[in-house]
Amino acid sequence: MRKALVTGSSRGIGKAIALELASRGYSLAIHYASSREAAEAVAAEAREKGAPQAVVLGADLSSPQAAAQLVSEANAALGGLEVLVNNAGITRDTLLIRMKDEDWDAVIQTNLSAIFHATREAVKIMMRAKWGRIVNISSVVGILGNPGQANYVAAKAGLIGFTKSVAKEYATRGITVNAVAPGFIESDMTAKLPESVVAEYLKQIPAGRLGKPEEVAKAVAFLVSDDAAYVNGQTLCVDGGMTPH
Ligand code: NAP
């Protein structure tokens, strides 16, 4: 059965993606930055749901080169790697004029440069197998823009362009590269937002509610499946109808 690495799968959207893939029979590498115990619990749940193997790997992706090492560790631990979901991400929100150099650098390194390093390593492995699926978790704000998130939006928009380019490079090699752009999803990331901000966002969501991590996970599970073989270089918005195309 296929083997998948989901970065940032100790909690939130990454956890839901890992568990969805587990229930579909994938072996999994569960990755965390600091929440080791939570990651161990996700691995146990993944095995209960049907993952033949679930290993736990730690890496701080604010040093982007660590992402390549993480991919090769996952490949070694699982005995192959057909699926990479670049999900780990952070925010350092503030208005541009207050944004410190380190707020910019941390978000670009973790949310964009780490994905370059992970993807380059994964493509080498997938080319040898002549099959692979990469899904990059972007955001609707990477399409729409968002005040207070210039660093995050630059990374998420960059990820969409990166996805389109890499998809074109390896389209003949059995490898697809797509992005998923979640809207506002219930997670630790959005739990930090003040109630007034959430109320404002709700006005922009036709569905009238935040999304659930499991709803993002279903979209990812489709894109990494055989059913999505002819879907490549796309950005699939999972946002309750928020983003016009
Ligand atoms: P979350 O609940 O904050 O979880 C973040 C995950 O990333 C955790 O597993 C965390 O590991 C890991 N992580 C954080 N810093 C890291 C670092 N320096 N190195 C490696 N891993 C690190 O986030 P989420 O809401 O599930 O978001 C997941 C992805 O979806 C992100 O890329 C985010 O930008 C994107 N997204 C989220 C929303 C939303 O509404 N929530 C909307 C659009 C896009 P630890 O547990 O060890 O800290």
Side-chain angles (χ1 to χ4, degrees), residues 2-244:
R2 289 190 172 134
K3 298 153 189 114
L5 164 62
V6 183
T7 69
S9 43
S10 47
R11 52 199 169 89
I13 294 171
K15 173 181 174 181
I17 294 168
L19 294 178
E20 180 66 36
L21 296 183
S23 71
R24 295 175 188 227
Y26 291 75
S27 284
L28 281 156
I30 307 295
H31 158 256
Y32 68 96
S34 53
S35 318
R36 183 176 177 93
E37 277 181 24
E40 298 280 6
V42 175
E45 202 176 335
R47 284 188 286 267
E48 270 166 37
K49 286 195 182 289
Q53 290 184 84
V55 300
V56 170
L57 300 171
D60 181 356
L61 302 182
S62 63
S63 302
Q65 290 79 359
Q69 174 72 18
L70 173 66
V71 167
S72 68
E73 281 174 17
N75 183 41
L78 296 174
L81 192 71
E82 287 91 15
V83 174
L84 169 65
V85 183
N86 286 307
N87 165 80
I90 59 166
T91 51
R92 294 279 186 277
D93 296 355
T94 189
L95 294 174
L96 179 70
I97 56 170
R98 294 198 193 126
M99 193 172 283
K100 299 194 176 76
D101 292 1
E102 48 271 33
D103 296 328
W104 175 268
D105 291 341
V107 170
I108 296 297
Q109 282 168 7
T110 311
N111 293 10
L112 185 59
S113 300
I115 283 101
F116 154 67
H117 286 278
T119 303
R120 186 174 61 181
E121 195 63 24
V123 165
K124 289 179 195 163
I125 296 163
M126 291 169 182
M127 278 176 69
R128 288 198 286 275
K130 300 188 174 61
W131 198 94
R133 294 281 186 271
I134 298 171
V135 174
N136 296 320
I137 306 300
S138 178
S139 168
V140 292
V141 301
I143 299 167
L144 300 170
N146 205 23
Q149 290 198 305
N151 49 0
Y152 183 81
V153 170
K156 294 299 188 184
L159 206 45
I160 291 173
F162 177 76
T163 298
K164 289 179 188 170
S165 297
V166 181
K168 288 190 174 179
E169 280 186 32
Y170 302 100
T172 60
R173 308 295 188 110
I175 300 171
T176 68
V177 189
N178 289 288
V180 166
F184 290 92
I185 307 297
E186 291 166 5
S187 77
D188 292 346
M189 196 176 264
T190 46
K192 294 194 280 206
L193 297 170
E195 242 172 68
S196 58
V197 173
V198 175
E200 273 312 303
Y201 283 143
L202 279 174
K203 288 186 199 157
Q204 301 165 37
I205 305 172
R209 63 171 178 86
L210 299 193
K212 296 184 189 315
E214 293 74 19
E215 292 173 313
V216 179
K218 298 275 184 200
V220 174
F222 165 66
L223 289 171
V224 303
S225 73
D226 284 315
D227 292 341
Y230 205 55
V231 180
N232 201 9
Q234 300 302 302
T235 299
L236 176 54
C237 294
V238 181
D239 65 352
M242 195 178 160
T243 311

